[in-house]
Amino acid sequence: MTYADRRPCAANDGSTCEFVSLGSFDDKSGLVGEVSVAQCRRCGFGISLPPLRDVGFLYADRESQDFQPDTRGLAYAIKNWFFRRQAAALIRQLGKQPASVLDFGCGSGQFTRCLGDLIGAERVTGSDFHDHPPEELRGRNYLPAANREDHSGAFEAVIAMHVLEHDDDSAALLEQIVSMVPRGGTVVIEVPNIQCVWARILGRHWDAWYLPYHRTHFSRRALRKMMTRAGLTILTEQGACVPTMGRSFANMFGAQNNLFFLLAGAALHPVQWLGEKLTGEASAIRIIAQRG
Ligand SMILES: [Zn+2]
């Protein structure tokens, strides 16, 4: 059928993934129609169907929630608080402040800006599909995807937060991400964790499925394997509790995500955090690695 059939399995070197269908999901874009997920019964890696070789059309108008403008009011303030905390935690985990960081797939740029506010705007560059920077990165460093090749190996660290899952061929996307740092450079990858307790409890309503925008779905084992195959040495692996409750409940009620669900999600965040601590399966996996 597709290259997915020949995907090397993380569970067993030399074998390919053995996919079983998890059934149909909601098409959050309204552009694709029937969408579903298939998961490997051995390594836990998941793929979205039908295959989309070029996903550019999904982001053409920056309307997906990855690019939400949302630049005012309480919703913005809550997200800003969360992104600042996440950025501070990331810097602690890195153990030092890199002289130059590329935020590969920066989306709205809100996280990129928070990171720049903490370690110095001149050290942080956002990068995404679009030729022009998002509103958040006005006056900040920005590298359009089309110009990335000219800057390969030019950054001390590259971060790709919730990026890898946005392409059918995440292994090829990972190669591009890795190419932005020289040998010895730092690579930070964060993706949703398909084995998270909320994926089981909330089923297809769990917001991190997010079809058709999310093209691949990772277990910890599948991500580790993909990264070592890309020539990376894994330094640390940790869980990250990414607020997904508000949007998950909006999905469950078939409602638009709005301030009400954002506040509900914030109120439920301690419950989410506790569930993830108790099960040892966080909503997201973050791996810090070094290019070999
Ligand atoms: Zn597999």
Side-chain angles (χ1 to χ4, degrees):
M1 175 181 68
T2 66
Y3 63 89
D5 293 328
R6 303 188 301 274
R7 198 179 286 268
C9 186
N12 194 349
D13 276 322
S15 69
T16 52
C17 281
E18 200 180 307
F19 289 104
V20 289
S21 178
L22 298 185
S24 52
F25 284 69
D26 294 330
D27 170 12
K28 307 292 282 179
S29 70
L31 297 169
V32 178
E34 182 89 354
V35 291
S36 64
V37 174
Q39 187 180 21
C40 174
R41 66 166 93 229
R42 290 198 297 257
C43 71
F45 184 73
I47 53 170
S48 295
L49 298 169
L52 300 175
R53 281 180 189 282
D54 181 2
V55 291
F57 76 96
L58 292 174
Y59 306 98
D61 50 9
R62 278 188 170 143
E63 267 181 13
S64 90
Q65 62 195 15
D66 301 297
F67 297 96
Q68 262 176 14
D70 214 5
T71 47
R72 284 177 303 272
L74 189 55
Y76 181 78
I78 291 172
K79 283 187 188 169
N80 217 46
W81 178 84
F82 172 75
F83 282 135
R84 272 192 86 91
R85 273 192 51 178
Q86 287 279 83
L90 177 63
I91 294 162
R92 279 198 305 277
Q93 287 162 359
L94 286 174
K96 60 167 184 169
Q97 298 192 357
S100 57
V101 183
L102 183 70
D103 188 1
F104 192 110
C106 64
S108 71
Q110 201 173 353
F111 182 78
T112 327
R113 192 182 45 71
C114 288
L115 192 63
D117 290 346
L118 289 172
I119 67 170
E122 71 288 351
R123 294 184 179 197
V124 182
T125 302
S127 181
D128 223 314
F129 289 120
H130 310 92
D131 291 337
H132 301 288
E135 200 60 31
E136 289 274 355
L137 296 183
R138 278 244 184 125
R140 301 280 183 116
N141 299 334
Y142 181 77
L143 177 65
N147 302 346
R148 275 181 196 144
E149 262 184 56
D150 304 336
H151 298 264
S152 61
F155 298 88
E156 191 177 314
V158 60
I159 64 172
M161 314 295 280
H162 297 261
V163 171
L164 213 52
E165 69 273 25
H166 286 259
D167 199 290
D168 279 27
D169 195 348
S170 27
L173 181 58
L174 180 58
E175 260 179 50
Q176 280 181 46
I177 294 166
V178 172
S179 75
M180 302 311 295
V181 296
R183 290 185 188 281
T186 305
V187 177
V188 181
I189 301 290
E190 185 175 306
V191 294
N193 175 12
I194 201 174
Q195 290 167 315
C196 171
V197 58
W198 306 115
R200 270 173 275 150
I201 292 175
L202 301 171
R204 67 186 176 88
H205 298 301
W206 185 47
D207 192 66
W209 290 111
Y210 194 37
L211 265 73
Y213 299 98
H214 289 182
R215 309 301 311 150
T216 51
H217 310 271
F218 290 88
S219 63
R220 288 186 286 144
R221 176 153 73 169
L223 180 62
R224 277 199 300 267
K225 194 74 179 182
M226 189 175 286
M227 290 181 73
T228 50
R229 278 184 179 139
L232 294 166
T233 304
I234 293 173
L235 302 176
T236 64
E237 175 186 333
Q238 44 243 313
C241 183
V242 176
T244 46
M245 283 305 193
R247 292 205 309 226
S248 298
F249 280 104
N251 294 340
M252 200 172 276
F253 293 108
Q256 281 290 328
N257 184 38
N258 56 29
L259 185 60
F260 170 77
F261 286 108
L262 186 73
L263 291 173
L268 284 168
H269 195 67
V271 177
Q272 185 191 338
W273 182 86
L274 189 63
E276 295 179 17
K277 279 284 165 217
L278 291 175
T279 56
E281 291 286 358
S283 43
I285 316 158
R286 178 182 295 172
I287 292 184
I288 299 177
Q290 190 172 47
R291 183 174 179 188

